[in-house]
Amino acid sequence: LACGTPVVASRIGGIPELLTAGGSLFQPGSSAGLAQGIEHLLERPERCRELGGQGRISVTTNFDSRRATEAFVRLYEGLSLTARSAGT
């Protein structure tokens, strides 16, 4: 996704939450679903570029290191306040 390449991935675990833009999902174990996803992209180069661009934007917006660092700082500050108020 970060490279602007569209993704065809199995609908399993946390993948559906991560792949909100930039690709398509298929049912786990479905080789036909995988093949359809790949064929769909190969037959539609414009759609392929569009999904690739959407995926790149999604990754750079949602997974940038500054945002992740800020989220961790907020998490640890919250945990610290909770521990102090509990007297530990």
Side-chain angles (χ1 to χ4, degrees), residues 47-65:
R47 180 70 175 141
C48 192
R49 282 188 289 280
E50 179 183 319
L51 285 173
Q54 290 172 357
R56 173 129 178 88
I57 290 168
S58 175
V59 168
T60 57
T61 301
N62 298 310
F63 298 101
D64 123 322
S65 60

Side-chain angles (χ1 to χ4, degrees), residues 3 8-9 13 19-21 25 27 29 35 37 47 50-52 62 70 81:
C3 294
V8 178
L19 191 60
T20 57
L25 298 168
Q27 289 300 322
R47 180 70 175 141
E50 179 183 319
L51 285 173
N62 298 310
E70 290 169 356
L81 290 174

Side-chain angles (χ1 to χ4, degrees), residues 8-87:
V8 178
S10 180
R11 186 178 284 114
I12 192 166
I15 294 172
E17 288 81 20
L18 293 173
L19 191 60
T20 57
S24 63
L25 298 168
F26 63 92
Q27 289 300 322
S30 172
S31 56
L34 173 59
Q36 281 180 323
I38 293 169
E39 286 176 4
H40 179 81
L41 293 175
L42 291 174
E43 293 170 353
R44 296 165 184 84
E46 185 56 40
R47 180 70 175 141
C48 192
R49 282 188 289 280
E50 179 183 319
L51 285 173
Q54 290 172 357
R56 173 129 178 88
I57 290 168
S58 175
V59 168
T60 57
T61 301
N62 298 310
F63 298 101
D64 123 322
S65 60
R66 178 172 286 141
R67 288 183 70 179
T69 301
E70 290 169 356
F72 278 119
V73 167
R74 285 192 304 275
L75 171 66
Y76 290 130
E77 287 173 344
L79 292 172
S80 176
L81 290 174
T82 300
R84 278 190 244 151
S85 67

